[in-house]
Amino acid sequence: MDPDAVKSTLSNLAFGNVMAAAARNYQKEVLANEKAQGSNPVNEEVDLDELMDREVEKREAFKRQGHGEYREVSEGDFLGEVTRSEKVICHFYHKEFYRCKIMDKHLKTLAPRHVDTKFIKVDAENAPFFVTKLAIKTLPCVVLFSKGIAMDRLVGFQDLGTKDDFTTNKLENVLVKKGMLSKKKKEEDDEDAEYQESIRRSVRSSENLDSDSD
């Protein structure tokens, strides 16, 4: 037999074996991918459950630190409150000042919507040391703390259009820009808007009932 022919035949056989092996490997890879894709929905469901559990745990941990509500703290507790949380919004107020009451109303609304930030207030009359230390001259004064350090502040309503009728969303957007709040998703905004509208409808309904009874 011609040596060259033998060599060519062996070469062809080797090439054929390589191609067959490649084909088998490719087939295995395709089957593995199909199997993985087939199990994806289950894996995704488990992952989503885990993420939801982590989110719940995270919220509960924040609440144990006093997040999720707008609370008054004393001068004695103030330092511990602002150093135990990463982001803290603190309103220094005077109980007789009308504008402080307006700020109270908006911060009380925002606190449960942004659990990752702590919202507190301090009676300026009862906290002379920190009022002096933080050089607070005008009320309301909302001091913004990051990791225990006063990074910024809202003095009066200067950042809010200087008028009393600013909206909660206006204050929220200012605090988002200053890095104190996370930007909410549109779906959450829509839910909040729907909730606020339902409250307004309830108020109008009760007013109409009152007028009818008169």
Side-chain angles (χ1 to χ4, degrees), residues 3-204:
D4 290 335
V6 173
K7 190 175 180 180
S8 176
T9 301
L10 291 173
S11 178
N12 289 337
L13 286 172
F15 180 75
N17 289 337
V18 169
M19 291 302 294
R24 285 194 299 272
N25 289 337
Y26 176 73
Q27 188 177 22
K28 287 179 182 178
E29 186 174 336
V30 169
L31 289 172
N33 287 337
E34 287 177 351
K35 187 176 180 181
Q37 288 174 2
S39 63
N40 269 349
V42 176
N43 291 336
E44 286 175 4
E45 187 175 341
V46 171
D47 290 342
L48 284 173
D49 287 342
E50 288 178 0
L51 286 172
M52 289 177 68
D53 289 342
R54 286 176 194 168
E55 188 62 29
V56 170
E57 289 175 6
K58 189 177 176 183
R59 289 176 69 87
E60 290 303 317
F62 278 135
K63 286 182 178 181
R64 286 194 293 272
Q65 293 176 351
H67 294 225
E69 59 181 334
Y70 182 49
R71 300 177 295 114
E72 179 157 4
V73 301
S74 67
E75 184 174 57
D77 293 333
F78 172 77
L79 202 56
E81 292 284 355
V82 298
T83 55
R84 279 197 297 265
S85 296
E86 184 174 350
K87 293 186 289 186
V88 180
I89 294 173
C90 180
H91 175 206
F92 284 86
Y93 78 99
H94 190 288
K95 58 188 176 184
E96 300 297 331
F97 289 6
Y98 176 67
R99 281 196 160 187
C100 290
K101 294 176 181 178
I102 293 174
M103 184 62 75
D104 270 343
K105 177 187 72 173
H106 294 299
L107 293 175
K108 187 176 181 179
T109 300
L110 289 176
R113 281 159 60 171
H114 295 275
V115 183
D116 54 336
T117 299
K118 181 184 286 183
F119 289 76
I120 58 175
K121 64 178 181 176
V122 174
D123 187 338
E125 278 191 313
N126 296 327
F129 177 80
F130 287 109
V131 166
T132 302
K133 204 74 175 171
L134 294 167
I136 294 171
K137 306 291 185 185
T138 303
L139 299 178
C141 182
V142 179
V143 184
L144 313 178
F145 292 88
S146 177
K147 297 179 180 178
I149 300 171
M151 304 297 292
D152 205 345
R153 64 184 62 196
L154 304 180
V155 179
F157 293 168
Q158 291 176 11
D159 293 272
L160 301 163
T162 70
K163 294 183 179 179
D164 295 355
D165 60 351
F166 66 89
T167 64
T168 302
N169 283 340
K170 173 70 173 177
L171 175 58
E172 183 177 40
N173 289 334
V174 169
L175 292 171
V176 167
K177 289 178 181 177
K178 290 182 178 292
M180 295 305 297
L181 303 180
S182 301
K183 180 63 178 172
K184 297 186 70 185
K185 295 178 182 177
K186 186 178 185 302
E187 293 85 354
E188 293 174 325
D189 288 336
D190 291 342
E191 289 174 4
D192 286 337
E194 186 177 340
Y195 174 69
Q196 294 296 334
E197 178 58 29
S198 69
I199 292 176
R200 286 193 287 270
R201 283 198 299 268
S202 298
V203 171
R204 287 197 296 268

